[in-house]
Amino acid sequence: LAKTPMVIDGLRKRYSGGFVAVDGLSFRVEPGQVLGLLGPNGAGKTTTLRMLMGLITPTEGSIRVFGHRVRPGAPVLSRIGSFVEGSGFLPHLSGKANLELYWASTGRPAEKAHFAEALEIAGLGDAVHRRVKTYSQGMRQRLAIAQAMLGLPELMVLDEPTNGLDPPQIHQMREVLRRYAATGRTVVVSSHLLAEVEQTCTHVVVMHRGRLVASGEVGELAAAGGEATFRVDTP
Ligand code: ATP
């Protein structure tokens, strides 16, 4: 049986100016869950996800993924696929050529890259043979997600993957996350929209001012009035 994908304990991030963006966060993610990190702008979601991705070091607390400590440069990061907005692609190359180039640059080419699976999950179809400069924003974001999925990581961490997308593109993005979770892997995704989390996620952690204010199954949270609580907290 797979070890628990993620256990976060007492996580805290204090930026150099003294601002505490994440203040004692603890939660766990179980195998097969799609966990939504929900909260208004400034709640500390991006800071949290950047720590989960091993991009920045926590001031205090720990993140364990499959039993291994996450920190910048940790080997376990190869088991975590990360999506952040604004991945740069070469516009004159096809989507597939961009992914091939990326994989060659990772230092992991000896490992099998799962191009076919990743592209199928990302739902780009024949567009993978077209130049990236012809892609819509939604297609670029799904290509970035395919890129993060090339090693078929057991855990995907995505920071607001639907940001800047129109409703049909948001729908396609949801399908991508669902297809990935359906392979038995685990997803952590941030959003500032309750409706989006309700439609995409199995579980939710609600953050406000760096702290966890509610968590549980998505259905339970809505039934307990999570929406009302969340609305009060939103500026
Ligand atoms: P958003 O949806 O706007 O990205 P968020 O919930 O992801 O919001 P964070 O980006 O984690 O929130 O930011 C939390 C707080 O930390 C914000 O008040 C922000 O101004 C502050 N912050 C973020 N990065 C830094 C930094 N490098 N130095 C100082 N403060 C920062």
Side-chain angles (χ1 to χ4, degrees):
L1 210 67
K3 281 192 181 171
T4 302
M6 185 180 275
V7 182
I8 288 163
D9 186 27
L11 200 61
R12 193 161 189 270
K13 180 67 187 182
R14 183 179 182 272
Y15 283 113
S16 50
F19 185 78
V20 179
V22 175
D23 194 7
L25 194 62
S26 301
F27 63 89
R28 51 194 295 148
V29 187
E30 304 295 343
Q33 287 184 355
V34 180
L35 180 96
L37 201 56
L38 178 68
N41 289 344
K45 306 181 298 292
T46 296
T47 301
T48 301
L49 293 189
R50 287 174 62 80
M51 291 190 274
L52 306 189
M53 293 170 182
L55 296 174
I56 57 173
T57 309
T59 310
E60 277 174 42
S62 71
I63 304 161
R64 300 190 83 83
V65 167
F66 306 112
H68 302 276
R69 189 84 179 253
V70 171
R71 55 167 74 88
V76 73
L77 295 181
S78 69
R79 299 170 71 180
I80 307 174
S82 301
F83 168 83
V84 289
E85 228 181 316
S87 314
F89 291 112
L90 295 171
H92 296 287
L93 294 184
S94 71
K96 188 153 185 273
N98 267 281
L99 296 195
E100 283 164 353
L101 209 60
Y102 163 79
W103 190 253
S105 76
T106 58
R108 298 168 60 193
E111 264 177 67
K112 186 174 185 285
H114 299 265
F115 282 99
E117 291 92 328
L119 289 171
E120 194 176 325
I121 291 167
L124 285 162
D126 286 343
V128 296
H129 303 294
R130 296 206 330 244
R131 291 177 185 209
V132 168
K133 69 174 189 175
T134 67
Y135 284 21
S136 66
Q137 177 72 12
M139 289 163 73
R140 277 171 206 257
Q141 288 185 200
R142 284 185 285 132
L143 184 66
I145 285 170
Q147 178 170 293
M149 288 175 178
L150 283 178
L152 294 186
E154 296 141 280
L155 175 68
M156 278 290 290
V157 179
L158 306 104
D159 192 7
E160 304 229 14
T162 58
N163 235 5
L165 304 189
D166 62 27
Q169 293 172 338
I170 290 172
H171 177 78
Q172 285 168 324
M173 186 61 74
R174 260 185 224 135
E175 293 301 307
V176 173
L177 302 189
R178 285 205 188 126
R179 282 195 289 269
Y180 203 73
T183 69
R185 296 181 175 83
T186 305
V187 177
V188 176
V189 57
S190 66
S191 175
H192 58 275
L193 299 171
L194 176 70
E196 204 166 282
V197 167
E198 278 184 328
Q199 287 167 32
T200 311
C201 302
T202 60
H203 292 73
V204 62
V205 164
V206 185
M207 283 184 77
H208 185 59
R209 295 191 180 155
R211 294 170 185 266
L212 183 154
V213 293
S215 68
E217 279 182 41
V218 162
E220 283 173 7
L221 187 80
E227 185 170 10
T229 307
F230 181 63
R231 283 205 180 125
V232 169
D233 288 347
T234 307

